[in-house]
Amino acid sequence: MAFLSDTLARVKPSPTIAVTTKAAELKAAGRDIIGLGAGEPDFDTPENIRIAAKAAIDAGKTRYTPVDGIPELKKAICAKFLRENGLTYQPNQITVGTGGKQILYNALMATCNPGDEVIIPAPYWVSYPDMVLLAGGTPVPVVAGIETQFKLTAAQLEAAITPKTKWFIFNSPSNPTGAGYTESELRALTDVLLRHPHVWIMSDDMYEHLVFDDFKFVTPAQVEPRLYDRTLTCNGTSKAYAMTGWRIGYAGGPAHLIKAMGTIQSQSTSNPCSVSQYAALEALNGTQDYLAPHRALFQRRRDLVVKMLNEAKGVTCPKPEGAFYVYPDISGCIGKTSAGGAKITDDEAFASALLEETGVAVVFGAAFGVSPNFRVSYATSEAVLEDACRRIQDFCAGLK
Ligand SMILES: Cc1ncc(COP(=O)(O)O)c(C=O)c1O
């Protein structure tokens, strides 16, 4: 009898976490390493949120809570959806989990049966296909390449839908490309979805607050209210409020789905950390004043990185609308040999030689389903980004 389960054999560990770990190991061994792999803001959780968490501890808010969130936080989430997205949810339509990740996972576990298909635009966040596989469903990646700025077209969505399609996962702004759908781009997709009433929409709005220039964030149930009854609108405090370690994610959706997700959570983790829930309550109800300066900072970094990467030989870097990632194409580097003698056969070989020879850690594109590319997370200082991009430029210049 095999000790490890068949379920485990279906999935692989997160490659983004693997890159971060490898970079940390090299750093610990004394190498000069710049990690551009991690998907988290580089600043501390704002002070008002930290104060609220400390007060919660001192007030004894350290016990079990209702499985899918304290009533005050659900109320704050309802207010957030109304205020920022024009969506009306009642508290029984809200669930709170241990990070955005658990929310998506609960939804898939609660709904996927063998044979159910889940459409995932690629490049995708690394966890989507594996979570679908863990839940027993079939991921259906659909490549939206650089020619459409990494955005899925209506025709592509239409062609991917079958009678077995259960979910369409939508992520804007996107990890790993930063691509954000405008209202008219999203409407083209919601028009398709209206014609297929058996397809549910899982909208992962994690990067809602990280958008640049005049880009206006929109979410499917807001753009097309007729999809409200089959849309799960997912979000969390991790990225906007620099709260990745606190582990709070949430969603609004039809009450029967929310209840089913709570059942999955009740038999796995139970409630998300009580103290974190009070911190999230302050994040949503407290001042939002720091969001704009954070956005401005990220926009400057994006502009710097896009400019410098486009100056690297063989690299083409589109300018994304949001998040804190860029996803340059490196077709012009493939088939060459690095100054250190590494054959650049694919984007994994590129990332590995780049780390070895220059100390810059990026995640190779194959991990996100579209190659040859790599992902840069620019959630670090401009000085560090400049140094990293110069090293990438030198590395590319040395390819023969
Ligand atoms: C697109 C996307 N969705 C969800 C998550 C999960 O966020 P959390 O840390 O709250 O679980 C991430 C984190 O990297 C993400 O990039």
Side-chain angles (χ1 to χ4, degrees), residues 228-267:
Y228 174 88
D229 286 337
R230 52 187 169 106
T231 298
L232 185 68
T233 306
C234 308
N235 212 317
T237 52
S238 296
K239 315 283 175 169
Y241 301 96
M243 289 178 68
T244 46
W246 300 79
R247 313 303 305 129
I248 294 292
Y250 57 84
H256 65 103
L257 170 61
I258 294 296
K259 185 163 175 248
M261 289 166 64
T263 303
I264 300 286
Q265 190 160 303
S266 74
Q267 297 298 9

Side-chain angles (χ1 to χ4, degrees), residues 39-40 98-102 104 125 128 171 173-175 204-207 235-239 243-244 247-249 325 375:
E40 61 180 346
T98 301
K101 202 172 215 169
Q102 189 181 28
L104 303 166
W125 180 43
Y128 296 144
N171 175 217
S174 144
N175 177 2
D204 181 351
D205 300 351
M206 190 52 85
Y207 295 94
N235 212 317
T237 52
S238 296
K239 315 283 175 169
M243 289 178 68
T244 46
R247 313 303 305 129
I248 294 292
Y325 309 105
R375 186 192 77 173

Side-chain angles (χ1 to χ4, degrees), residues 92 98 179 297 300 320 328 369:
N92 69 341
T98 301
L297 190 67
R300 275 213 314 274

Side-chain angles (χ1 to χ4, degrees), residues 172-201:
S172 165
S174 144
N175 177 2
T177 65
Y181 289 68
T182 62
E183 181 161 355
S184 68
E185 286 164 344
L186 178 51
R187 182 163 298 286
L189 301 183
T190 58
D191 282 350
V192 172
L193 293 160
L194 272 180
R195 292 198 289 275
H196 299 276
H198 67 292
V199 179
W200 282 64
I201 300 97

